[in-house]
Amino acid sequence: GVPPASAAPTAVPAATSGYYFLDAPPAAAPSDAPLQALADQARRAAPDSHLDGIDLRGPRAADAPLPGQALQGPGAAPQYYFVHAVQLPNGFVTPAKPHPHAAPGAAAGHAAQQDRHPGFDIQAVRRDFPILSERINGKPLVWLDNAATTHKPRQVIERISHFYAHENSNIHRAAHTLAARATDAYEHAREVVRRFIHAPDAREVIFVRGTTEAINLVAKAWGGANVGEGDEIIISHLEHHANIVPWQQLAAAKGARLRVIPVDDQGQIRLDEYQKLINDRTKIVAIGHVSNVLGTVVPVKQVVEIAKRRGITTLIDGAQSIAHTPVDVQDLGADFFVFSGHKIFAPTGIGVLWGRREVLEAMPPWQGGGNMIADVTFEQTVYQPLPNTFEAGTGNIADAVGLGAALEYVERIGIAQISRYEHALVDYGMAQLASIAGLRLIGTVPGKASVLAFTLDGYSTDEVGQALNAEGIAVRTGHHCAQPILRRFGVETAVRPSLAFYNTFDEVDQLVREVRKLAARRR
Ligand code: PMP
């Protein structure tokens, strides 16, 4: 499905067409103050400083042939997505003007050229996601609601379908062939998760329903055993409700206290204040890796290090980082790392709790029942070792297999490539949105991941969302399950476009064009 080098697609702009910048304002107009400020911020920040704690080495096994690859369908050959296999026509990535965040001194347009170059064939990627061809209100779908959930490539859809057509069985407990196939598929997925997050041991990977269930599991099982009266639990002001409420419930049940790391006006956590909060009563620090409202990439490695020095347990909520940044749980150093499959091109209803083996082994089980037991009498039960200790009952087998397929898909493209491309897309989107009069960006930390939240003067956030939907553009509006952080910025709701690696600069331009039209109408 890759066009030969000589056949330049007609939609590809010539280098000087200005196609991508249809509505871009002149770079140095006085009204560009917010844009300029953003650009300056980005320049001041050391290169890649926002990637603190993130492994840029990329997936270690990215180039190795993957088990189960035959099931991935056509287009799965590793080099398919890579640029070296796809001669892009001249001008494909040449910008009409320098990228607003181009490093000072960079050859004219060079930085932008790099940034616009995804490092993979984005049109081939888009063809893998059937839903991206939908039309909404007669317009091509522009899916900018990736922080809520992501779409699924046909490799994942077909893998799940293959499971039900050829492998379906309950796992771990029968002598027949289908039980063996299903168990192999499920355990293969566990191994893929291990590799993807660079965990040392697949037994540390527990399949759960998602981030919410994983955090509840830790709060109930670990918290139930380790948090007592007068103890303290630290979270940050950025957290999703899923990383607030379970700790609040634990604190109420135990007579413990929830402490909250404040954020600065850009939306980064205050490490100085964190250091003041932490004390001998602190039992756990539970921190989001990337904010689902502001897109802030939190320096979680530092947060963990500070806690670890005092022997405090740590949990990272990776719901919003897993699809956007390389994750190495050994490098991050936390005791728990949790994420949801549906945020990374896998099905809903499946997610992961990773925990350090010693910590998991010292933890009592949460739910009891089948699968997690070795022996049961009415007097006592002997539990299975990890990971089954924490997988009571029949789990979501098919979707775990789908999660494995999704991670293998991401591995073939390369999470480091994805991360680089998305950061360029986000920086571009931020600069473009900042140039719209009456638009207020919520969360302006340089090096944000995926999320571009804003409010627009004269409009409710729902009005903006509906107007964009009329043009086929899907964005989230509302409180995004993180009311405290929105209130910190003085709003109850925001419009939240959020990007994934299948989004294009073109789509960002469409968003900006429509928002600019709305802004002009009520001024
Ligand atoms: N934490 C964060 C940062 C999130 O963005 C989300 C989902 N919006 C969650 C937790 C909860 O994830 P799930 O609903 O998949 O359990």
Side-chain angles (χ1 to χ4, degrees), residues 236 238-239 243 286-291 296-300 315-318:
S236 89
L238 289 172
E239 304 311 317
N243 200 30
I287 186 97
H289 198 172
V290 170
S291 158
T296 307
V297 179
V298 173
V300 284
L315 176 144
I316 297 175
D317 171 356

Side-chain angles (χ1 to χ4, degrees), residues 147-148 209-213 215 240 242-243 288 290-292 317 319-320 340 342-343 480-481 496:
R209 197 157 57 85
T211 306
T212 303
E213 188 170 81
I215 297 172
H240 186 279
N243 200 30
V290 170
S291 158
N292 70 312
D317 171 356
Q320 291 298 342
S340 301
H342 72 98
K343 310 273 192 196
H480 316 299
C481 299
R496 183 192 66 176

Side-chain angles (χ1 to χ4, degrees), residues 39-352:
D40 290 342
Q41 262 169 27
R43 267 187 224 107
R44 273 197 304 276
D48 288 347
S49 62
H50 58 278
L51 297 176
D52 205 355
I54 288 167
D55 178 9
L56 273 177
R57 287 167 293 173
R60 279 159 201 167
D63 294 327
L66 298 163
Q69 200 161 315
L71 296 170
Q72 304 295 325
Q79 78 273 39
Y80 181 78
Y81 298 104
F82 290 94
V83 184
H84 58 70
V86 185
Q87 293 294 313
L88 293 173
N90 271 347
F92 184 78
V93 295
T94 305
K97 71 169 193 181
H99 186 280
H101 290 181
H110 179 72
Q113 181 160 341
Q114 292 295 321
D115 289 349
R116 279 183 179 252
H117 205 302
F120 47 88
D121 182 344
I122 195 150
Q123 293 309 328
V125 163
R126 290 179 64 83
R127 280 193 296 277
D128 282 339
F129 289 79
I131 209 167
L132 296 181
S133 305
E134 284 294 299
R135 294 185 82 83
I136 304 293
N137 297 318
K139 309 279 167 58
L141 169 67
V142 176
W143 183 257
L144 301 179
D145 197 13
N146 295 290
T149 201
T150 57
H151 290 307
K152 321 307 169 201
R154 69 189 157 69
Q155 286 84 346
V156 170
I157 298 167
E158 285 168 11
R159 184 64 190 85
I160 296 165
S161 174
H162 180 90
F163 177 86
Y164 283 122
H166 301 287
E167 299 166 330
N168 181 51
S169 167
N170 213 323
I171 50 168
H172 293 154
R173 54 181 107 121
H176 56 71
T177 300
L178 290 189
R181 285 188 194 167
T183 304
D184 281 356
Y186 184 75
E187 293 305 327
H188 170 70
R190 197 190 306 279
E191 168 57 21
V192 174
V193 172
R194 183 207 64 73
R195 187 172 71 215
F196 194 79
I197 61 174
H198 300 117
D201 188 336
R203 288 170 297 182
E204 300 173 336
V205 172
I206 316 290
F207 284 122
V208 292
R209 197 157 57 85
T211 306
T212 303
E213 188 170 81
I215 297 172
N216 275 276
L217 193 164
V218 175
K220 260 65 174 190
W222 184 92
N226 292 287
V227 174
E229 194 168 350
D231 286 342
E232 296 185 357
I233 299 158
I234 294 184
I235 60 172
S236 89
H237 209 141
L238 289 172
E239 304 311 317
H240 186 279
H241 296 163
N243 200 30
I244 301 174
V245 182
W247 304 116
Q248 217 165 35
Q249 290 173 326
L250 176 66
K254 298 286 189 163
R257 185 171 171 208
L258 197 62
R259 312 291 309 265
V260 181
I261 309 168
V263 300
D264 63 25
D265 291 340
Q266 291 187 317
Q268 185 55 278
I269 63 159
R270 295 269 310 267
L271 280 174
D272 54 337
E273 294 293 331
Y274 166 54
Q275 309 228 35
K276 286 185 217 155
L277 283 180
I278 204 160
N279 64 50
D280 292 344
R281 291 181 302 276
T282 311
K283 281 289 168 338
I284 187 164
V285 178
I287 186 97
H289 198 172
V290 170
S291 158
N292 70 312
V293 173
L294 307 184
T296 307
V297 179
V298 173
V300 284
K301 190 175 172 178
Q302 263 170 285
V303 171
V304 166
E305 243 166 46
I306 291 165
K308 263 171 79 169
R309 263 185 247 137
R310 290 167 165 265
I312 295 164
T313 302
T314 48
L315 176 144
I316 297 175
D317 171 356
Q320 291 298 342
S321 63
I322 192 72
H324 307 291
T325 59
V327 166
D328 181 330
V329 293
Q330 296 183 71
D331 183 55
L332 291 172
D335 295 294
F336 300 105
F337 184 93
V338 303
F339 69 93
S340 301
H342 72 98
K343 310 273 192 196
I344 182 159
F345 322 112
T348 51
I350 190 72
V352 169

